[in-house]
């Protein structure tokens, strides 16, 4: 057996490589790529929702995790929180313009995942069988 691809081209080093942009983008991707954030954004695509509506719609999320996720999305300017002065107070969460701009790629990612779920599950089974996983 002979090794293939032994001559792999390397990119030349960039002078004064500044990785601060990478760190900044990584923090944004961490927020929008978080599974709970994706679910919240997908739930808010159709319009504003109350906290308990979101909690019921997102299977498996705890109250604390939903609170933290909504707070992070609000901090990043993707979601707004509106408190209505009723008794008891009513709080709605809604995507901002920035959040609606993100909603389309998130929706496309979700649709891709649903469409390819059988293939991915099959690949996982094959991998696990080859590697002795239970």
């Amino acid at each position: 057996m002979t090794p293939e691809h032994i001559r792999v081209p390397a990119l030349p080093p960039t002078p004064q490589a500044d990785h601060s942009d990478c760190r900044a983008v990584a923090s944004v991707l961490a927020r929008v790529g978080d599974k709970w954030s994706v679910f919240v954004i997908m739930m808010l695509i159709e319009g504003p929702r109350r906290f308990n509506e979101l909690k019921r719609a997102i299977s498996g999320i705890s109250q604390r995790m939903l609170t933290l996720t909504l707070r992070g999305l609000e901090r990043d300017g993707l979601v707004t929180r509106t408190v209505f002065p009723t008794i008891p107070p009513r709080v709605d969460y809604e995507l901002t313009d920035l959040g609606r701009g993100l909603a389309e790629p998130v929706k496309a990612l979700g649709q891709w995942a649903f469409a390819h779920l059988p293939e991915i599950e099959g690949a996982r089974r094959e991998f696990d069988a080859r590697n002795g996983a239970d």
Side-chain angles (χ1 to χ4, degrees), residues 1-121:
M1 187 180 235
T2 59
E4 296 180 18
H5 304 294
I6 57 175
R7 303 186 96 214
V8 179
L11 294 173
T14 56
Q16 300 175 333
D18 181 13
H19 299 289
S20 62
D21 287 344
C22 293
R23 285 190 291 273
V25 169
S27 73
V28 172
L29 292 176
R31 166 76 57 225
V32 300
D34 170 77
K35 78 174 181 177
W36 298 121
S37 294
V38 169
F39 284 129
V40 168
I41 291 166
M42 289 180 74
M43 292 295 115
L44 293 176
I45 286 173
E46 296 175 14
R49 295 233 184 162
R50 296 175 78 174
F51 183 91
N52 284 328
E53 286 181 274
L54 290 168
K55 186 160 180 341
R56 282 191 300 273
I58 303 172
S59 178
I61 193 167
S62 68
Q63 182 167 332
R64 175 170 164 65
M65 185 52 64
L66 180 55
T67 299
L68 292 173
T69 301
L70 287 165
R71 203 172 281 162
L73 291 169
E74 184 180 8
R75 180 175 184 252
D76 288 349
L78 301 169
V79 168
T80 58
R81 178 179 185 267
T82 305
V83 180
F84 295 93
T86 59
I87 299 175
R90 179 178 146 199
V91 180
D92 282 357
Y93 294 91
E94 184 175 11
L95 292 175
T96 62
D97 288 341
L98 186 62
R100 281 189 287 281
L102 177 62
E104 287 308 310
V106 165
K107 188 175 177 181
L109 180 62
Q111 290 170 338
W112 181 90
F114 280 119
H116 295 284
L117 189 58
E119 295 167 72
I120 293 168
E121 288 173 339

